[in-house]
Amino acid sequence: MNPNHVAIIMDGNGRWAKLRGLKRTEGHLKGSETLKELVEYAFSNGVKVLSVFAFSTENFNRSKVEVDFLMDLFIKKFNEYFYELHQKGIKVVFSKKDAGLPLKLESIIKDVTEKTKDNKNGIFNICINYGGQDEILDMTKKVCTKVINNELDINSITKEVISNNLYQDLPPIDLLIRTSGEYRISNFMLWQMAYAEFYFTDVLWPDFDEKELENAISAFNKRDRRYGGVKKK
Ligand code: IPE
Ligand code: IPE
Ligand code: MG
């Protein structure tokens, strides 16, 4: 069965550009076009939830030129892609820290979230200004506040409660893809990937096309997910 929740660490834009003698920003532009095609492909192939890592809290360490370019690109692309996603009935959500992005971007994010909130054909989760440890830290503060205010009994804290108090309440990740030949998680969705199947490829993000996603999904379909149990005969 195709994975329900696919998460992608879209990496390698800079190297893609460098290989072609282009500026890193050109790689981000091409990468954003790749994403547009893949979103459509994923939702028409049984994927119900698609999470992507667009910008980490750590990515603010990059040059001002690159960060500014990316922020402008997000503003432009969220506006551009929103209508089509909405037409297709996709709910767009954002996993992010409360503040820190340019105000114009924060307001587009609010707008897209509000307009697509009742859509039922799939969930597109965009992680932007996101860090997995921060998400767990922020959840911990929220849950503790509820306990202190007597809204929640400490013995009633379950995994579901934790999930409900993360940035977004999403099902577990089935398939995690990372492009560009790096074998690390880079502080991506730590809680949600507890039992994810990992797929690493050397392909750089701007070159990751439908065929590559198909390869990742078919690799996933050959995996034997045991969840600590014993292989099925
Ligand atoms: C991923 O590509 C995009 C973001 C992190 C925003 P990179 O920009 O990290 O590309 P490389 O890793 O330098 O090639
Ligand atoms: C992870 O890629 C973040 C995104 C894809 C947005 P990075 O390129 O920032 O990760 P590191 O620095 O190689 O771990
Ligand atoms: Mg990178």
Side-chain angles (χ1 to χ4, degrees):
M1 206 170 73
N2 279 358
N4 181 59
H5 185 175
V6 174
I8 313 181
I9 302 176
M10 310 181 289
D11 197 13
N13 294 351
R15 278 162 285 167
W16 181 92
K18 196 171 175 212
L19 276 170
R20 287 160 181 78
L22 302 169
K23 286 189 274 186
R24 294 179 55 83
T25 50
E26 300 283 343
H28 294 316
L29 189 63
K30 181 71 171 55
S32 69
E33 287 158 14
T34 297
L35 178 60
K36 184 170 196 290
E37 281 168 32
L38 287 185
V39 172
E40 283 178 32
Y41 180 85
F43 288 118
S44 26
N45 280 274
V47 173
K48 291 281 175 251
V49 184
L50 177 68
S51 291
V52 295
F53 207 176
F55 193 89
S56 71
T57 45
E58 292 81 10
N59 288 146
F60 276 114
N61 294 325
R62 297 186 178 194
S63 75
K64 183 169 170 6
V65 173
E66 184 167 346
V67 172
D68 287 351
F69 178 90
L70 282 165
M71 296 301 145
D72 288 344
L73 187 68
F74 295 138
I75 291 172
K76 200 166 147 239
K77 295 294 172 185
F78 291 169
N79 266 325
E80 201 180 303
Y81 298 170
F82 151 74
Y83 189 72
E84 244 174 272
L85 287 167
H86 190 39
Q87 288 289 96
K88 294 200 158 76
I90 305 298
K91 175 174 173 176
V92 186
V93 300
F94 295 84
S95 290
K96 58 187 275 297
K97 284 175 80 80
D98 256 355
L101 294 171
L103 293 182
K104 191 169 173 194
L105 181 54
E106 296 280 7
S107 113
I108 289 172
I109 286 175
K110 243 189 166 158
D111 200 39
V112 172
T113 306
E114 177 57 31
K115 286 196 172 123
T116 63
K117 71 176 192 322
D118 297 322
N119 289 349
K120 302 271 186 275
N121 294 344
I123 299 174
F124 183 31
N125 170 44
I126 303 173
C127 298
I128 180 169
N129 191 15
Y130 173 87
Q133 289 184 333
D134 275 341
E135 180 175 34
I136 291 172
L137 186 63
D138 288 344
M139 173 277 297
T140 307
K141 289 181 188 166
K142 267 204 255 175
V143 170
C144 287
T145 306
K146 288 180 187 171
V147 172
I148 289 168
N149 293 341
N150 290 320
E151 290 161 24
L152 181 66
D153 183 85
I154 197 157
N155 296 311
S156 311
I157 301 176
T158 58
K159 283 184 249 185
E160 285 68 35
V161 170
I162 291 183
S163 190
N164 282 334
N165 285 279
L166 292 170
Y167 295 142
Q168 300 296 334
D169 189 2
L170 299 168
I173 295 171
D174 298 295
L175 169 63
L176 173 86
I177 299 170
R178 182 169 190 149
T179 57
S180 88
E182 306 293 355
Y183 299 92
R184 56 177 171 266
I185 298 309
S186 300
N187 201 12
F188 196 36
M189 306 172 74
L190 302 174
W191 174 267
Q192 299 86 342
M193 69 168 72
Y195 250 112
E197 294 293 331
F198 287 12
Y199 181 87
F200 295 101
T201 171
D202 287 341
V203 175
L204 302 171
W205 175 250
D207 291 327
F208 193 87
D209 56 13
E210 290 178 2
K211 184 83 196 97
E212 299 293 342
L213 183 56
E214 206 182 296
N215 289 344
I217 292 177
S218 71
F220 169 85
N221 282 324
K222 292 193 189 91
R223 303 278 174 91
D224 177 29
R225 303 186 83 190
R226 293 192 288 280
Y227 296 101
V230 176
K231 192 174 173 14
K232 283 194 226 89
K233 285 265 164 33

